[in-house]
Amino acid sequence: MNSNPAAPDRRHACFVLAASLGFIALACVAAPSRAGSPEDASAVDVSSAAFVPNRELTFSARRLAEALRIDGHLDEPMWKTATRIGNFSEVEPGDNVRPPVDTEAWLAYDADNLYIGFVCYDDNPGAIRASVADRDNIFQDDWAGIVIDTFHDQQNGYFFLVNPRGIQGDLFRSRNNEDSSYDTVWHSGGQLTDFGWTAEIAIPFRSIRFPDRAEQEWGVHFFRTRPRESRAQYSWAPLSRDANCFFCQAGTMNGITNINQGRNLEILPYVIASQSGSLTGADDASFDWENDRGNAEGGVGLKYGITPNHTLDLTYNPDFSQIESDATQIDANQTFALFYPEKRPFFLEGADRFTSMIDVVYTRSVNDPIAAGKFTGKSGRNTVTFMTALDETSPYIVPFEEQSGGAAGGDTYSNILRYKRDVLTESFIGVIATDRRARGGNGSNTTAGVDMRLRIDDHFTVFGQVQGSYTQEPDDTTLSGGFNQIAFGKDGEYTGAFDGEDFAGHAIEASVARNGRHYNAELWAESYSPTFRAENGFIRSNNYHLANFWNGYMFQFDTNPVLERLEPQLTMGRKYNYAGEFKDTWIEPGVWLRFKKQ
């Protein structure tokens, strides 16, 4: 799902430049008028001339005397007292114009839950897409939802979405990144009607994090997606395509007072036991039946909400057997390590806070924890996350210039610390440090560094990270048998063999990005020394300097029956190793397209 309609999804396939030029010519002939900005009166559809997007974006939620029944019907008397908001703007494919159908959102709360009702009118109810799907698999359907920035700091937000049958979708957005692995406990219902559809959502306050104060003030967005000829999106708050900030365009919800998050204690114990038996002789039924001694193990997970915005997670011998299997990845002709997303519940709480430009934290490096603990908390503009774990059979991902080495290790102690300080809007400066040590003292790796994201204005954002590392290899060459013969270092002074060598390294990444209504560009650079390693992270290669420049120009069409958006793109870059040897260069023209009918 692209939750920010102003940001095109550049993961679509690119075609050759010749094709892009052909499509440009076709589009210009078929649709000579391009959608203008809201300020360009000559480009606004006459039918929308009287439409004015919402300007007052602050409202108060009203408290209910009793809880609502969540079934998708907005027929309970308590809904009559709810706050009602409407006048949604079409932000896709239109540019803050009047939508062809109306949408309303109703807001209320009690001591335990935030309630949202949606009334989604439709001029053709038979065309509504409403599948019975798995959770988080509704994004090709009609859906409506709320985005909540509970700290109102324009940094992160919760997405709660529902389709017309009440199927849920939830995400956690951290600036421009969406984490679809986020799941929490909430309730929903939906109903198809003769005028469209309705939905109800109840979000328990104990399922989200918010400031520990008597009265809350949250940033909010309300969205509706209606996929027909185009994948239309309607927003209560108007969205500018010329601004690179999502949360700073949100409205404000206040009036929520004296709500109950409680201490939110969750305990998840488990016990697994098994025993098998067999005949002592395979060929004669008169032999005795013999049982083995059996096998049993157990463990427990604990989550404790110290305050509404400080959480402690502990686990002992966790059982992750209920987690879905990893999607198969083909490693044929692949010399570098494969990345697998995190799916284990213990590691998902606060996982976005470990994210950085340089992947120095990859929680799956903690493979089979015996015990682990994690603290996540936010006070004012300061966010702190700390994780510690005792792990069995910890894997090694060893980066080299042309390949990754993989090895299975033994028990390790891991500690990861992350600190962020929010500054400006959708910006931060931070510190990140990791340390992994083999049990018994046979090998260690430590990294430490600083990073930042600074949103300069509506168009420009600067990113950067500097990270240093110090590694002491294990003294056991049997672990590194697959890459013992590889030499590395500026002059090849080290061997890939785990023979107890120690060395320091560094990595640097920096970029500046421009986002706007039409012209978009990014210039970035990377430098990874031959001796940089992050055993708690995912570093596939090192020993290179790289510079890359991407840019594109977005054309948007109002009346073209085939094409909605077209962006010719050009990418170019160059790569050297630390010895100054030329490794690669590229010039890649392409085009990003969005057609009607999705």
Side-chain angles (χ1 to χ4, degrees), residues 27-236:
C28 291
V29 171
S33 64
R34 189 174 72 239
S37 67
E39 297 81 10
D40 184 359
S42 64
V44 177
D45 191 333
V46 175
S47 64
S48 300
F51 177 77
V52 178
N54 288 317
R55 293 174 179 172
E56 176 53 52
L57 298 176
T58 300
F59 66 92
S60 294
R62 295 176 182 169
R63 193 178 186 109
L64 300 179
E66 57 184 291
L68 289 167
R69 181 181 68 253
I70 304 301
D71 56 10
H73 292 288
L74 300 174
D75 55 0
E76 293 179 83
M78 288 83 76
W79 275 123
K80 295 181 180 179
T81 65
T83 301
R84 302 190 180 192
I85 60 174
N87 196 49
F88 280 56
S89 301
E90 181 182 297
V91 293
E92 280 289 336
D95 190 359
N96 290 312
V97 299
R98 183 193 303 277
V101 294
D102 290 332
T103 306
E104 294 179 5
W106 301 359
L107 273 295
Y109 75 100
D110 59 21
D112 300 307
N113 301 284
L114 175 67
Y115 299 102
I116 306 100
F118 285 99
V119 182
C120 300
Y121 296 93
D122 205 293
D123 53 11
N124 183 10
I128 293 173
R129 298 185 186 180
S131 62
V132 178
D134 292 334
R135 180 177 184 149
D136 293 336
N137 197 28
I138 64 170
F139 300 120
Q140 302 304 314
D141 288 358
D142 285 64
W143 57 258
I146 185 173
V147 184
I148 312 174
D149 172 10
T150 53
F151 288 90
H152 208 196
D153 55 8
Q154 301 175 353
Q155 303 290 335
N156 308 291
Y158 300 95
F159 282 60
F160 296 96
L161 317 169
V162 62
N163 82 349
R165 297 194 183 276
I167 309 299
Q168 298 178 353
D170 47 14
L171 306 165
F172 186 82
R173 175 164 176 150
S174 176
R175 299 169 183 89
N176 289 328
N177 299 314
E178 291 178 351
D179 180 7
S180 60
S181 65
Y182 170 79
D183 288 314
T184 192
V185 177
W186 54 291
H187 313 285
S188 62
Q191 296 290 335
L192 292 165
T193 68
D194 57 359
F195 61 80
W197 60 282
T198 59
E200 291 178 305
I201 292 174
I203 305 170
F205 293 122
R206 66 178 53 229
S207 293
I208 57 179
R209 306 287 173 258
F210 50 85
D212 188 9
R213 58 187 180 220
E215 182 172 356
Q216 302 295 316
E217 183 179 275
W218 296 349
V220 290
H221 275 295
F222 297 92
F223 282 109
R224 175 185 175 186
T225 289
R226 184 171 173 263
R228 301 294 187 274
E229 185 75 9
S230 299
R231 186 174 183 266
Q233 288 197 327
Y234 312 142
S235 173
W236 168 69

Side-chain angles (χ1 to χ4, degrees), residues 450-573:
V450 296
D451 65 336
M452 68 168 186
R453 180 187 193 272
L454 298 178
R455 179 179 175 270
I456 306 301
D457 58 23
D458 280 350
H459 296 296
F460 289 94
T461 306
V462 176
F463 307 81
Q465 183 172 2
V466 178
Q467 201 80 13
S469 72
Y470 177 76
T471 303
Q472 182 177 18
E473 292 180 335
D475 192 6
D476 185 354
T477 57
T478 62
L479 297 176
S480 55
F483 47 90
N484 278 338
Q485 305 306 313
I486 296 177
F488 68 96
K490 187 173 182 180
D491 300 311
E493 64 270 30
Y494 300 106
T495 65
F498 284 175
D499 51 9
E501 294 174 316
D502 62 278
F503 41 83
H506 65 271
I508 303 171
E509 290 201 22
S511 76
V512 57
R514 185 195 191 279
N515 296 96
R517 179 181 302 276
H518 298 298
Y519 183 65
N520 302 280
E522 184 173 11
L523 172 66
W524 71 90
E526 303 175 12
S527 179
Y528 284 69
S529 74
T531 50
F532 180 75
R533 292 186 184 177
E535 292 179 2
N536 277 126
F538 187 81
I539 308 299
R540 304 199 309 168
S541 65
N542 55 23
N543 191 21
Y544 68 87
H545 303 291
L546 178 152
N548 195 84
F549 177 66
W550 172 91
N551 69 145
Y553 192 91
M554 179 69 71
F555 295 88
Q556 302 170 42
F557 304 100
D558 277 344
T559 59
N560 191 297
V562 177
L563 191 62
E564 288 184 353
R565 289 188 177 187
L566 180 148
E567 185 179 46
Q569 303 174 348
L570 182 66
T571 303
M572 60 187 71

Side-chain angles (χ1 to χ4, degrees), residues 225-445:
T225 289
R226 184 171 173 263
R228 301 294 187 274
E229 185 75 9
S230 299
R231 186 174 183 266
Q233 288 197 327
Y234 312 142
S235 173
W236 168 69
L239 294 177
S240 171
R241 295 176 180 174
D242 211 29
N244 64 355
C245 174
F246 176 68
F247 289 113
C248 69
Q249 300 184 71
T252 300
M253 177 173 62
N254 54 37
I256 299 178
T257 60
N258 302 316
I259 55 179
N260 176 30
Q261 202 219 24
R263 287 292 178 260
N264 199 12
L265 177 64
E266 299 177 14
I267 302 176
L268 181 63
Y270 80 92
V271 176
I272 297 176
S274 63
Q275 185 182 49
S276 61
S278 62
L279 293 172
T280 56
D283 300 323
D284 189 342
S286 65
F287 279 86
D288 292 335
W289 185 268
E290 184 178 86
N291 293 315
D292 65 19
R293 297 184 60 184
N295 180 51
E297 64 174 310
V300 64
L302 182 147
K303 179 189 292 288
Y304 179 62
I306 303 170
T307 70
N309 54 324
H310 294 84
T311 303
L312 179 66
D313 289 86
L314 300 171
T315 187
Y316 171 75
N317 194 29
D319 172 35
F320 298 128
S321 61
Q322 79 278 15
I323 307 303
E324 64 179 292
S325 300
D326 291 313
T328 301
Q329 297 189 49
I330 299 173
D331 59 1
N333 301 318
Q334 174 62 263
T335 60
F336 295 104
L338 299 177
F339 180 89
Y340 289 92
E342 183 61 84
K343 299 178 180 179
R344 299 169 295 175
F346 172 83
F347 296 98
L348 291 177
E349 173 78 28
D352 63 288
R353 298 176 181 179
F354 289 133
T355 302
S356 63
M357 297 181 73
I358 302 171
D359 293 326
V360 292
V361 177
Y362 177 53
T363 53
R364 293 191 64 150
S365 65
V366 180
N367 179 51
D368 186 14
I370 300 171
K374 182 168 56 177
F375 170 81
T376 57
K378 181 165 186 174
S379 298
R381 290 180 170 270
N382 303 297
T383 302
V384 176
T385 307
F386 175 73
M387 185 174 74
T388 183
L390 170 59
D391 186 36
E392 293 186 295
T393 60
S394 300
Y396 288 92
I397 300 174
V398 185
F400 298 108
E401 183 177 347
E402 303 291 351
Q403 70 179 74
S404 303
D411 296 353
T412 62
Y413 298 99
S414 289
N415 293 284
I416 301 171
L417 174 66
R418 177 61 153 150
Y419 168 77
K420 285 185 177 181
R421 169 77 176 179
D422 297 338
V423 297
L424 304 175
T425 300
E426 290 196 357
S427 305
F428 73 91
I429 55 175
V431 175
I432 188 165
T434 71
D435 183 79
R436 188 170 91 166
R437 297 181 180 273
R439 201 172 185 179
N442 189 21
S444 66
N445 173 263

